[in-house]
Amino acid sequence: MQTLKIQSILLFTMAFSFFHAEHIAEYSYQLSNDELSLKFVIDKAEVGDFNFNSVCDIKQMTALCLTKYINEKSEVKINGNAVEFKLNDSYTEKDHLVINLSANISSDSITELIISNNCFYEFNAKFKNRIILDIAQYQKSYLLTIKKGIIHLK
């Protein structure tokens, strides 16, 4: 009986590992008062696979380089005004790199939200970007791809 339990656990673990989401980054946007927070999460191993070919040393300054990259390759507009995120902090958690960014905005009556995201497609055309919104009346999750890289909400 004990052997059956061990085999079941082993089989479950092996099956679960096949369903691990690869080639996906997560962007969680949350608005509180006049601060828009962005929690960016990506598998640490994937970051090492990207060849940024830039003056930014990704191995030495990972969080700074990725913050710059995210600001260049994605854009958030609230009521027509572009938002630029600044790095707050970063850490690793269970083989994932977590980067917290924020921006000061005017949160008066949000009538339009546009998010475009073209991150990491030049490294892997099958890459996906999950956008999770908790911004005023916009509370939903979206999966962006190289073919659909923009969310436009009114």
Side-chain angles (χ1 to χ4, degrees):
M1 190 65 160
Q2 187 70 17
T3 304
L4 184 58
K5 284 183 183 178
I6 293 171
Q7 287 176 338
S8 296
I9 292 170
L10 182 61
L11 188 61
F12 176 77
T13 305
M14 288 173 47
F16 183 76
S17 67
F18 288 116
F19 296 109
H20 174 71
E22 290 184 352
H23 314 302
I24 188 165
E26 185 176 281
Y27 306 73
S28 296
Y29 296 91
Q30 186 173 31
L31 181 62
S32 178
N33 299 321
D34 285 344
E35 182 177 83
L36 181 61
S37 300
L38 167 56
K39 180 179 179 183
F40 171 78
V41 181
I42 192 168
D43 192 321
K44 281 189 328 186
E46 289 203 81
V47 174
D49 293 340
F50 301 147
N51 181 10
F52 285 95
N53 285 335
S54 69
V55 294
C56 199
D57 184 353
I58 192 73
K59 299 220 185 297
Q60 296 296 319
M61 301 183 301
T62 307
L64 286 172
C65 293
L66 283 173
T67 298
K68 180 180 176 193
Y69 179 82
I70 291 167
N71 276 323
E72 289 173 356
K73 293 287 191 170
S74 68
E75 183 177 47
V76 175
K77 284 187 177 180
I78 296 177
N79 297 339
N81 299 312
V83 175
E84 182 159 345
F85 290 95
K86 306 275 189 236
L87 175 64
N88 288 345
D89 64 7
S90 65
Y91 56 93
T92 57
E93 182 177 274
K94 297 182 181 177
D95 296 325
H96 289 90
L97 174 63
V98 179
I99 300 175
N100 290 306
L101 305 121
S102 65
N104 292 321
I105 65 163
S106 172
S107 60
D108 297 338
S109 184
I110 298 173
T111 57
E112 182 181 44
L113 176 64
I114 301 171
I115 298 177
S116 64
N117 191 315
N118 294 303
C119 293
F120 310 112
Y121 300 139
E122 70 268 33
F123 307 119
N124 181 345
K126 294 182 180 180
F127 203 89
K128 295 179 177 84
N129 291 301
R130 174 159 312 282
I131 309 298
I132 301 168
L133 300 178
D134 184 7
I135 300 175
Q137 70 269 27
Y138 308 110
Q139 297 184 355
K140 194 171 179 180
S141 175
Y142 299 87
L143 189 63
L144 300 182
T145 64
I146 196 168
K147 292 181 180 176
K148 184 190 181 318
I150 296 176
I151 302 166
H152 189 175
L153 304 170
K154 290 185 177 188

